[in-house]
Amino acid sequence: MKRRVGILISGRGSNMVALAEAARDPAYPAAIGVVIANDPTAAGLALAAARGIPTRTIPHRAFGRDRAAHEAAIDAALAAEEIEVVCLAGYMRLLTPFLVGRYAGRMLNIHPSLLPVFPGLNTHARALAAGVKFHGCTVHLVTEAMDEGPILAQAAVPVRPDDDEASLASRVLAEEHRLYTAALARFLSGDAGRAPTTALHNPLPDLLAAP
C-alpha cells in the first residue's frame, strides 16, 4: 500500500516534480497527498496542480514572527490530508522543534552537498572555493540541528576544472532528482539505514585530495 507523503516547497519545486513523477508508478511506495508552499509565488505550486496534486499556500509572512503558529497551520494542513511522511524539497525555512517533533523520524530533506561538509546555503560556491574534487547531494532525516540529521543516501559528482557555480549546480541537481526518489522509496520500504551511533567522519580532507 502506498504511504501518503506531503511535500514542502518554497520555489520552483524541481525535486517535488521528480517525486511526483516517480509516484505515478503503481509500484512506487509513495502517493503525494499535498504540496504546501510558504511563498504564494512558488512556481512549484502550478507544477503540482498540473499533476492533480492538492496544493496549499501558507505564507509565513502572514504570521509575522510567530513561527509556531505558522507551523501549526502547516501541521493542520498535513493532518487534513492524512500525511504520514514529509519531504522537504527546497523548503527555505528553518523548522522549529514543534514541526520537527511532530514528524520525528518521518521527515526527509535533500541537501546539495556531501554532508557533513557545506551545510546551509551557497553550497556550490563554497565547494568551488574550497577546491574540492567531488561535490554532490545528501538525503537525510530532519532533526532540530540544521542539516545534521542521520544520512540516508548520498550521490557524488566530480568537480571539473572548468566548472562554475551554475554548471556544478546543474549536475548536482540531476543527481538530486535521482537520489531523492530512490531514497524515499527505500525509506518507505523499510530498507533505509538507521542513524549512525558514532560521530560522522568529516570527508573534507578526502574531497580536497587529488583524485
Side-chain angles (χ1 to χ4, degrees):
M1 179 179 295
K2 287 177 175 272
R3 305 277 297 279
R4 290 185 63 77
V5 172
I7 304 178
L8 305 188
I9 66 171
S10 292
R12 61 185 176 179
S14 69
N15 273 304
M16 176 274 295
V17 169
L19 294 173
E21 290 298 311
R24 290 188 176 191
D25 185 342
Y28 194 77
I32 310 304
V34 68
V35 171
I36 299 174
N38 67 302
D39 184 344
T41 68
L45 289 168
L47 296 175
R51 288 164 173 79
I53 301 171
T55 63
R56 289 285 306 276
T57 302
I58 306 178
H60 63 273
R61 290 185 177 86
F63 294 84
R65 296 184 178 181
D66 194 345
R67 297 173 71 89
H70 180 239
E71 291 188 5
I74 293 174
D75 184 48
L78 293 170
E81 297 294 340
E82 300 181 326
I83 297 303
E84 301 173 74
V85 173
V86 174
C87 287
L88 308 184
Y91 188 69
M92 303 305 291
R93 299 265 301 168
L94 286 177
L95 297 177
T96 75
F98 168 74
L99 198 60
V100 172
R102 294 282 284 179
Y103 287 89
R106 297 183 294 133
M107 181 181 285
L108 285 65
N109 182 48
I110 182 122
H111 180 76
S113 82
L114 294 172
L115 292 173
V117 297
F118 310 128
L121 302 175
N122 303 315
T123 60
H124 309 306
R126 290 157 64 196
L128 290 170
V132 298
K133 302 303 180 183
F134 291 91
H135 190 40
C137 51
T138 302
V139 176
H140 64 94
L141 290 176
V142 176
T143 60
E144 293 182 17
M146 183 184 69
D147 297 332
E148 292 186 10
I151 290 173
L152 300 179
Q154 292 185 304
V157 300
V159 179
R160 299 171 180 167
D162 61 345
D163 264 330
D164 58 17
E165 188 175 349
S167 64
L168 183 57
S170 177
R171 293 205 314 284
V172 171
L173 185 62
E175 286 300 309
E176 289 181 41
H177 297 164
R178 181 192 64 79
L179 186 70
Y180 212 175
T181 56
L184 178 60
R186 284 189 60 212
F187 178 79
L188 295 178
S189 299
D191 296 329
R194 294 298 175 232
T197 56
T198 57
L200 289 169
H201 167 63
N202 186 333
L204 185 55
D206 300 329
L207 298 176
L208 286 165

